Structure formats: structure tokens, C-alpha cells
Amino acid sequence: MDYLKVTGKKNLTGSVKISGAKNAALPLLASTILSSNKINISNLPNVVDINTLLELLEMLGSTYNKSDDFLAIDSTSIDKTKATYDIVKTMRASILVLGPLLARFGHCEVSLPGGCAIGQRPVDLHLKALEQMGANIEIKNGYILATTNGPLQGATIVFDKITVTGTENIVMAAALAQGTTTIINAAKEPEVVQLCEVLRDAGLKIQGIGSDEIIIEGSNQELLPFKDFSIIPDRIEAGTYLCAGAITNSILKIQDIIPEHLEAILSKLEEMGFITVREETSITILPANKIKPVNIVTTEYPGFPTDMQAQFMALATMADGVSIIDEKLFENRFMHVSELIRMGADITLNGTVATIKGTPKQLYGTDVMATDLRASSALVLAALVANQETNIHRIYHLDRGYDRLEEKLTNLGANIVRGKEEQ
Ligand code: EPZ
């Protein structure tokens, strides 16, 4: 397994280009199952999760050519509908093939995604919605067996909780259903919006894009003529690099982004005393005279994203005062806390609330372990300001969602190298 060795206390400088959004690319790759033609996709992030989903689609019968951030994919040749455990266990977002496979073929078997470090991650809301659309769902030997007699039927779906991939799965199922589907309490993340826009551009009648009520006229199992598209920039990668600039008190320019997708993140950085200069497709962050403490409650978009919670916790260890972070979405998304404490941070947990006493506290380099994707990036941020060296182990978590992280940080002046653990 690889690890990252980071030597802290170096200012960063320069600019970094942000890659395409992993969480937009995943549903969009799954949506190619609904397409009547080959599609050219650009700005695809080069991360493990994308390769995993491409491996799954190829196993089902898709063919594709990929070079760097460009992909030509043809899923019209899919002739299998079983997503096996060995692939799904490595990436829960594989559940995103359930809706499109069922809508197109009338049957599919998808391994139940396990939980992960941040929580139990159920998919009950996905399944309940598909049953309302006429699917017969059976759970057997760890697999979801889904069948329909004829096309899925349009229905009115009210989500008890806002679910990003749940909304995406039902949007894709509804696309090929017979009749109208109304999704109430839909997720509004930019990644959900792009999926809806790509389907609209493929001729689907869809209203309420970006709102919490989406209305879709199904095509009655007619595959859709997709147009080529480019993946939107990754707002979480962008937020992570803004935090890298903030925690090292550097002037940093984050390029190739959509600033409007970062409002909640920018607002909290400004609350902490940082200055951000916004241009059409970039943001420059400038140092704070003194980093102020902050209170954060994670919530669905457009509120403060749970995927930025760990990164802001690392930043809060350097604030002059007490910060409070309340993680409302996942029951176990504080795995980074014990690792930050090992680096000298003063953090106490009480249920879903973390209290961080910054001073600006001196953090100390040591060996730490990555536990999940965003926790890993928080450890990298802390290591950038810790004294001496920090070794971050199990960084396969990072590789799932950050495209060339150490290369991008090295280009900004960080001292970060990847090593191989002795066997
Ligand atoms: C998506 O996960 C993202 N993943 C996550 O990003 C992100 O943290 C999360 O949304 C919240 O923004 C992708 O888009 C691939 P949810 P998802 O369904 O869809 C509960 C990352 O770092 N729930 O919106 O799985 C659930 O337990 C990843 O890139 C049910 O109870 O999240 C959670 O408490 C991590 N039943 C809440 O809803 C269900 O059927 C929100 O989960 C579905 C969800």
C-alpha cells in the first residue's frame, strides 16, 4: 500500500487547475445505459472510482476508449444486468446502475453496497421509490433482485430524506418509464443538476431542474439520443485546495471552477477572516490576518457540504478560538478526529458535534491513517502545517476521489512524496 510523506511548514504559491467532479461523472457514466448512441465525454477526472465504474459497465457489455480526461463510451451493447459484489464492494456508487438497468431491461441484480467508514449508508429510499414505480424488489444473498412486468410506471415519489444518489437513480429510472414521474424533496446538488441537463439535452421532457421538485415525462423504454458533454468542475476538490491555501496562509488561485457552486464554502472561509477574489472561472484566496473560529452545520446543497467537513476541521485547528462543527448527514463522519488529535489538535466529540480548540495550535508531524476519502484530505491539509514530517498511510482512500493530488500540491510548492509501505 502507498503512503504520502509530507514535510510541513511550507507556504504554497501559484495556481491549480481543478478536475471534473467525481460525483457528477459517476451518475453520468451510469446514465449512458439509457443512451441510443456512443457518447464523447470530456473533463473526466482521473480517479479510481471512475475506473471502477467503467470496469463495471464494461463487465455489463459497454465498450469505451479513454485517454487522460477524454472518454468515448458506447453502452448500447450492454447485454448483462448483474453488478457483482466484487465490484460493488469497492464502490458503493455502483448502486447508480440499478435505476437505468431496471428501466431499460426490466430486470437486474445489484449487490447491496456495504456500509463504509462514514456510516451504514442504506439504500432503502432508492428501493422504496422503485417499488412505487412498479418494480418488484427482493433482497437475496446480499443482492438486490429487481424486476418489472413491462416498463416502469411513472409515479409521485416523496423522499423521506434528501438523497443525492437516490434522486439520481430515480431520475434515470423515470427517464425510460411509461408516464410522468414527480420527485418531491429531490436533491439539488450541482451534480444532480448536470445529470438532469444531460438527459434534457438528450430530448427528455424534464422540469424543475435544480429545484426540490423534478417532473419527468418518461420515454416508455425508448433509448435517448445523448449529446456529447463535459463534466462540471469538482466543487469539493476546489474547496479542498482553498483550504490548503487557507491553512498555509498562502495566496492561491483555484482555476477551471464554477464559483457559484462554492458559495457556502466561500462564506465560511470569509467568516474565518480569509479574503477571496472571485473571477468568472477562478477564485484566489488571500491570507487572513488572524484565523477566526467558525461554527458549521453540514446540510444538503446549497448549505455547507458534509464532504468539506473534515477539511474545515483541519483548518479550525489553526483558528484563534473555539470552533463547533455539527455533522448532520452521516453518523460516523469523524474518523479523522482521532488522527488530528494524534497530531496535537485539541478536539472533543459529543455525539454529532465536534468542538475544536485552536490557538493557532502547533500540529506535530507523525504517522496517521486515512480512513475515508475526505478524512484523508483533511490529514494532508494538517500535514502541510505540521512541523517535521507526517506519513499518511492507506492513501488508496485519497486516490478514489482526488486526481493527481501530490502532483498538484508539489506544483504549488508543497513538500509531498508518495512512498511504498515495506511489505
Ligand atoms: C452522495 O452520497 C455523495 N456520493 C457523497 O460523497 C456525499 O457525502 C453525499 O451524497 C451527501 O452529500 C456520490 O454522489 C457518489 P445520500 P449518497 O443518499 O448519495 C441517508 C464523497 O466523499 N440515506 O445523499 O450515498 C444516508 O444514510 C462521497 O465523494 C438513507 O437513509 O448520500 C445519509 O444519512 C461520500 N436511505 C443521508 O441519507 C437511503 O436510501 C444522505 O445520503 C439513502 C440515503
Side-chain angles (χ1 to χ4, degrees):
M1 277 194 274
D2 292 359
Y3 69 94
L4 284 180
K5 181 188 289 297
V6 184
T7 306
K9 294 307 223 190
K10 282 180 66 77
N11 267 15
L12 304 180
T13 177
S15 64
V16 58
K17 286 182 178 305
I18 297 302
S19 302
K22 160 180 88 81
N23 290 351
L26 291 170
L28 285 166
L29 288 177
S31 76
T32 63
I33 293 168
L34 307 171
S35 173
S36 59
N37 51 277
K38 181 171 158 182
I39 311 159
N40 296 315
I41 302 172
S42 52
N43 204 33
L44 196 71
N46 215 344
V47 296
V48 168
D49 273 8
I50 296 301
N51 298 333
T52 302
L53 187 53
L54 285 171
E55 188 188 333
L56 170 56
L57 290 169
E58 190 171 42
M59 197 179 77
L60 298 175
S62 290
T63 57
Y64 67 85
N65 283 312
K66 181 170 179 287
S67 65
D68 197 23
D69 74 349
F70 179 79
L71 175 78
I73 182 166
D74 181 353
S75 293
T76 57
S77 45
I78 285 184
D79 56 2
K80 297 180 196 66
T81 60
K82 181 170 184 176
T84 54
Y85 174 72
D86 57 324
I87 287 218
V88 175
K89 77 172 186 292
T90 63
M91 189 192 59
R92 347 173 30 302
S94 310
I95 192 72
L96 285 164
V97 303
L98 174 65
L101 284 176
L102 184 59
R104 175 171 163 189
F105 295 100
H107 59 85
C108 64
E109 276 184 72
V110 177
S111 168
L112 263 178
C116 70
I118 64 176
Q120 194 240 331
R121 309 290 295 273
V123 291
D124 57 310
L125 300 178
H126 301 231
L127 303 182
K128 186 177 143 203
L130 289 171
E131 285 178 323
Q132 283 182 259
M133 297 175 75
N136 177 31
I137 304 276
E138 192 191 344
I139 307 290
K140 201 170 163 198
N141 306 331
Y143 277 80
I144 301 162
L145 310 180
T147 53
T148 61
N149 297 321
L152 284 168
Q153 297 303 308
T156 296
I157 308 290
V158 182
F159 275 122
D160 298 343
K161 275 185 178 178
I162 295 172
T163 161
V164 173
T165 50
T167 301
E168 291 162 345
N169 238 334
I170 299 311
V171 163
M172 292 189 280
L176 261 56
Q178 187 174 47
T180 303
T181 298
T182 301
I183 304 173
I184 295 170
N185 205 21
K188 299 183 280 191
E189 274 68 3
E191 297 77 28
V192 179
V193 169
Q194 184 172 29
L195 172 67
C196 294
E197 288 172 342
V198 164
L199 290 170
R200 176 201 58 201
D201 296 347
L204 192 69
K205 291 190 184 60
I206 185 166
Q207 295 162 35
I209 295 178
S211 80
D212 59 7
E213 184 165 326
I214 303 173
I215 303 171
I216 297 167
E217 293 296 329
S219 74
N220 197 7
Q221 285 190 316
E222 281 289 307
L223 294 180
L224 303 169
F226 274 50
K227 294 200 172 59
D228 295 347
F229 57 84
S230 177
I231 305 289
I232 57 169
D234 192 320
R235 60 192 167 96
I236 304 302
E237 185 193 18
T240 305
Y241 282 99
L242 283 169
C243 286
I247 203 168
T248 56
N249 249 356
S250 312
I251 298 175
L252 220 50
K253 185 168 189 175
I254 319 294
Q255 292 182 297
D256 298 352
I257 61 169
I258 301 174
E260 296 71 48
H261 291 169
L262 288 109
E263 294 296 358
I265 296 165
L266 295 172
S267 161
K268 286 300 171 188
L269 286 171
E270 285 151 17
E271 218 176 289
M272 295 180 84
F274 297 97
I275 297 155
T276 59
V277 179
R278 189 188 301 215
E279 292 170 87
E280 199 183 334
T281 60
S282 72
I283 290 172
T284 302
I285 184 165
L286 305 171
N289 296 327
K290 189 174 69 170
I291 303 177
K292 297 181 198 133
V294 69
N295 291 344
I296 286 173
V297 180
T298 65
T299 183
E300 294 85 2
Y301 192 88
F304 188 89
T306 174
D307 292 351
M308 284 301 303
Q309 177 258 107
Q311 297 91 314
F312 268 77
M313 189 179 293
L315 180 55
T317 67
M318 306 311 285
D320 191 3
V322 179
S323 299
I324 307 285
I325 296 182
D326 190 353
E327 171 53 68
K328 291 281 190 201
L329 270 80
F330 290 110
E331 66 270 27
N332 190 32
R333 200 166 198 174
F334 284 143
M335 303 284 276
H336 42 286
V337 169
S338 49
E339 301 304 301
L340 290 172
I341 289 171
R342 295 189 62 247
M343 296 178 74
D346 180 347
I347 306 170
T348 50
L349 289 182
N350 180 3
T352 65
V353 178
T355 302
I356 303 102
K357 290 196 181 79
T359 40
K361 247 187 125 31
Q362 174 61 44
L363 294 177
Y364 302 97
T366 182
D367 284 279
V368 290
M369 192 170 75
T371 50
D372 58 272
L373 172 54
R374 306 305 173 183
S376 323
S377 64
L379 297 178
V380 172
L381 295 177
L384 289 174
V385 288
N387 69 2
Q388 291 142 10
E389 285 177 356
T390 302
N391 293 319
I392 304 168
H393 300 277
R394 299 193 181 179
I395 52 158
Y396 57 86
H397 292 290
L398 263 179
D399 296 336
R400 295 190 46 181
Y402 285 96
D403 186 352
R404 289 166 294 148
L405 178 115
E406 68 261 32
E407 181 188 317
K408 291 182 179 182
L409 282 175
T410 302
N411 291 343
L412 293 172
N415 185 335
I416 177 170
V417 289
R418 181 179 287 247
K420 282 244 179 280
E421 311 275 11
E422 276 91 51
Q423 294 306 338

